[in-house]
């Protein structure tokens, strides 16, 4: 392992002489940095007095190290690096500032050294080696990266806690909701949708990179990994956002099942929207993969509002159908589903089922017999619609 070279002892008198001029050197450095480094122009990011004080401190640190003939700990540069990271300064601009400052100080040392007797080329080369290995820019950039990494982790911890509070209903105060929206990068007003995707295993995301994919479509979102689900809130304010979300999800959900809630306008309704997304996901079970959106019809909302009662209705209304062998039962229920989707048209239902319309009529007549309900009676149709929704969203009923 190579050892950091010591500063050449012959340069100590030069450094000692310059220590009396650190105020002037710091001001000169600050002016050069302000003129040449875009981030430091004007007082918007770093006031001139603060910049000059930082430059003066760095000058004193380097010159005292040269006087003592050692390498320092770079404490001043490290503090500057941490402060600039907290301020959001680009690392490239910070390093550019250190390069400019180093040029000023090196030029001052060289000018002073020219008037000093006994300095050899070997001494200057030793000084250059010390300068490179003990440079302040490296200390500042290391501290900057460490601080930036810690800030990212802190933001992620805060963001994760906010998302969890949002989904569990702990955020109810309007001011707190605004703060949460700000932390999560979401607009303070809806509409939003909740997405729930089945995870392939504990601790594994169902939709890796989904936040970035949505952001590429100008859709802001916040996500949380639960033991059984990968859940997210997506803002759908712009025209066409609903379709854009579904398009991104269809691309991302090639191997998993995903449920999507209806749109809602108040972040306080996020727990309810998560429940509806879960119900949509439940209704998608039995499919290998894909996206299922919660049906926002009154019947579906009634089922979601009273799931136990809806299950009882499903068992009571469809009892005769549910007792049939699985193949016949599924065939009759699929026919009823397509008949509703076709707005009561047997011809359109037949096209959806790839069968003859007479086959559809026969199956519907069989359903009427088994349920004791006529498909010409609006009240009976309502019963069947609610029962079918309950059965779709809660297959175990």
């Amino acid at each position: 392992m190579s050892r950091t070279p010591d500063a050449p002892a012959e340069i100590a008198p030069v450094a000692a002489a310059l220590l009396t001029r650190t105020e002037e050197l710091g001001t000169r450095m600050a002016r050069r940095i302000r003129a040449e480094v875009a981030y430091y122009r004007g007082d918007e990011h770093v006031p001139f007095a603060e910049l000059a004080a930082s430059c003066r401190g760095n000058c004193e640190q380097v010159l005292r190290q040269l006087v003592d003939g050692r390498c320092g700990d770079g404490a001043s540069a490290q503090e500057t690096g941490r402060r600039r990271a907290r301020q959001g300064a680009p690392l490239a601009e910070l390093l550019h500032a250190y390069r400019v400052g180093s040029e000023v100080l090196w030029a001052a040392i060289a000018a002073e050294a020219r008037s000093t007797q006994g300095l050899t080329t070997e001494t200057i080369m030793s000084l250059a080696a010390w300068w490179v290995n003990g440079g302040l820019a490296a200390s500042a950039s290391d501290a900057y990266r460490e601080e930036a990494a810690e800030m990212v982790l802190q933001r992620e911890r805060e963001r994760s806690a906010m998302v969890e509070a949002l989904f569990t209903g702990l955020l109810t105060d309007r001011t707190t909701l605004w703060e949460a929206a700000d932390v999560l990068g979401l607009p303070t007003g809806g509409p939003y949708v909740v997405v729930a995707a089945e995870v392939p295993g504990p601790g594994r995301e169902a939709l890796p990179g989904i936040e970035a994919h949505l952001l590429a479509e100008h859709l802001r979102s916040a996500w949380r990994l639960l033991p059984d689900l990968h859940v997210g809130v997506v803002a759908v304010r712009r025209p066409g956002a609903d379709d854009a979300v579904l398009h991104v999800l269809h691309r991302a959900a090639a191997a998993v099942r995903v449920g999507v809630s209806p749109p809602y306008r108040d972040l306080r309704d996020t727990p309810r929207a998560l429940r509806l997304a879960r119900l949509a996901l439940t209704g998608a079970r039995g499919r290998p993969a894909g996206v299922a959106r919660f049906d926002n019809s009154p019947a579906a909302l009634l089922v979601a509002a009273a799931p136990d009662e809806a299950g009882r209705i499903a068992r009571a209304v469809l009892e005769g159908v549910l007792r049939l062998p699985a193949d016949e039962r599924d065939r009759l229920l699929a026919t009823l589903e397509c008949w509703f989707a076709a707005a009561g048209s047997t011809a359109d239902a037949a096209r959806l089922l790839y069968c003859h319309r007479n086959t559809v009529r026969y199956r519907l007549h069989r359903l009427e017999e088994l349920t004791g309900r006529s498909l010409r009676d609006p009240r009976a149709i309502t019963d069947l619609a609610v029962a079918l929704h309950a059965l779709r969203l809660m297959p175990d009923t």
Side-chain angles (χ1 to χ4, degrees):
M1 182 174 178
S2 61
R3 186 178 70 87
T4 302
D6 295 328
E10 297 87 346
I11 209 72
V14 173
L18 289 175
L19 265 174
T20 63
R21 296 166 46 199
T22 54
E23 186 80 29
E24 170 213 335
L25 286 171
T27 301
R28 194 193 312 170
M29 262 188 207
R31 286 175 178 155
R32 275 279 305 277
I33 290 170
R34 176 157 281 198
E36 297 183 24
V37 184
Y39 180 80
Y40 291 89
R41 288 177 192 152
D43 286 344
E44 179 184 357
H45 301 297
V46 183
F48 184 80
E50 179 186 332
L51 177 60
S54 177
C55 290
R56 183 172 63 254
N58 285 329
C59 283
E60 288 176 355
Q61 181 175 332
V62 171
L63 293 172
R64 288 190 189 283
Q65 290 168 15
L66 288 172
V67 169
D68 296 340
R70 61 179 175 79
C71 277
D73 57 8
S76 175
Q78 289 168 8
E79 176 54 33
T80 299
R82 286 190 287 269
R83 190 184 310 119
R84 296 296 176 258
R86 292 191 293 270
Q87 291 171 337
L91 179 57
E93 294 289 87
L94 174 66
L95 296 179
H96 188 187
Y98 268 96
R99 282 194 297 273
V100 172
S102 293
E103 288 174 10
V104 172
L105 185 55
W106 181 268
I109 291 173
E112 188 70 26
R114 278 195 292 270
S115 62
T116 302
Q117 299 296 321
L119 287 183
T120 63
T121 301
E122 184 178 348
T123 299
I124 299 300
M125 293 300 293
S126 297
L127 175 60
W130 177 88
W131 191 279
V132 170
N133 285 277
L136 298 182
S139 296
S141 64
D142 288 347
Y144 178 103
R145 290 188 177 95
E146 289 172 6
E147 185 71 17
E150 177 55 35
M151 287 168 63
V152 168
L153 288 175
Q154 182 178 341
R155 280 196 296 268
E156 284 304 310
R157 287 192 292 267
E158 183 180 4
R159 184 177 168 87
S160 180
M162 284 292 189
V163 174
E164 183 172 3
L166 198 58
F167 279 118
T168 55
L170 294 179
L171 299 179
T172 55
D173 179 74
R174 173 61 61 183
T175 302
T176 308
L177 284 167
W178 284 344
E179 291 171 352
D182 182 59
V183 168
L184 299 175
L186 296 172
T188 53
Y192 317 91
V193 294
V194 167
V195 177
E198 287 183 328
V199 298
R204 293 178 58 194
E205 291 187 346
L207 304 168
I210 186 62
E211 189 167 354
H213 294 322
L214 288 167
L215 194 57
E217 299 294 331
H218 309 289
L219 297 164
R220 295 193 172 275
S221 62
W223 292 82
R224 174 80 172 155
L225 187 59
L226 304 178
D228 60 334
L229 293 176
H230 190 192
V231 296
V233 181
V234 187
V236 288
R237 298 183 72 182
R238 67 174 177 82
D242 282 354
D243 291 338
V245 170
L246 294 176
H247 180 68
V248 172
L249 291 175
H250 277 296
R251 287 204 317 260
V256 295
R257 285 184 290 267
V258 179
V260 183
S261 76
Y264 62 102
R265 294 199 165 274
D266 193 324
L267 277 175
R268 284 173 290 197
D269 292 332
T270 299
R272 175 179 175 274
L274 174 58
R275 186 158 61 88
L276 298 181
R278 281 180 179 271
L279 285 173
L281 183 58
T282 300
R285 290 194 178 129
R287 306 178 194 172
V291 180
R293 187 157 195 178
F294 186 86
D295 186 346
N296 204 17
S297 70
L301 291 173
L302 284 172
V303 168
D308 292 339
E309 188 63 19
R312 188 193 67 77
I313 292 171
R315 286 188 293 271
V317 172
L318 298 172
E319 181 182 7
V321 179
L322 297 176
R323 285 202 302 261
L324 295 172
D327 288 348
E328 186 178 359
R329 177 196 66 208
D330 293 344
R331 192 161 49 245
L332 291 180
L333 291 174
T335 300
L336 183 60
E337 185 96 44
C338 289
W339 185 76
F340 275 118
S345 167
T346 54
D348 290 343
R351 278 192 286 272
L352 291 173
L353 291 164
Y354 300 101
C355 66
H356 195 275
R357 69 176 67 184
N358 288 338
T359 302
V360 173
R361 290 193 184 101
Y362 169 77
R363 293 176 185 173
L364 294 175
H365 181 65
R366 180 89 169 111
L367 279 163
E368 289 178 320
E369 289 179 337
L370 290 167
T371 61
R373 285 169 171 79
S374 170
L375 292 176
R376 291 178 294 278
D377 180 351
R379 290 172 299 182
I381 291 173
T382 300
D383 291 347
L384 289 167
V386 172
L388 194 61
H389 274 295
L391 201 66
R392 184 195 307 145
L393 295 175
M394 290 163 284
D396 295 333
T397 55

